Amino acid sequence: ILCGALGFAIVLCSVGLQVLLQSAIPETFRSRVLGLWTAVNVAGPGIGGALVGAVAQWRGLQVVTVTSGILCTLFVILAMPRVARLVLED
């Protein structure tokens, strides 16, 4: 059940991000940006998993988990004003 809910949340966020990207990017750059977006979505999890795994073996899983949580939280806090401006412009 948890995996199903997580999958649904990922799909929901992905659709919202695609709509935001397509509405915020000028048409002349849209294919380039979406190509880069796809490349990051395909390669990013694998590269990130390898890096987190290597750091976890070096420093320990608890350090990596806490650091990842802090970095994700900071990223969201820093990105929210920009995302809000993009959404409110439309």
Side-chain angles (χ1 to χ4, degrees):
I1 293 176
L2 182 61
C3 287
L6 183 59
F8 178 75
I10 289 171
V11 168
L12 192 63
C13 289
S14 295
V15 170
L17 288 171
Q18 283 289 329
V19 169
L20 183 62
L21 272 175
Q22 290 181 17
S23 63
I25 304 297
E27 193 171 334
T28 54
F29 296 109
R30 195 170 294 153
S31 62
R32 295 177 196 161
V33 171
L34 291 175
L36 179 62
W37 175 261
T38 301
V40 168
N41 277 319
V42 169
I47 293 170
L51 288 173
V52 166
V55 174
Q57 284 210 322
W58 175 52
R59 299 296 293 167
L61 185 59
Q62 186 175 6
V63 171
V64 170
T65 304
V66 170
T67 303
S68 297
I70 291 170
L71 288 175
C72 286
T73 303
L74 287 175
F75 177 75
V76 168
I77 290 170
L78 293 173
M80 283 306 291
R82 177 154 173 82
V83 171
R85 278 195 308 271
L86 285 173
V87 170
L88 292 177
E89 285 177 0
D90 292 333

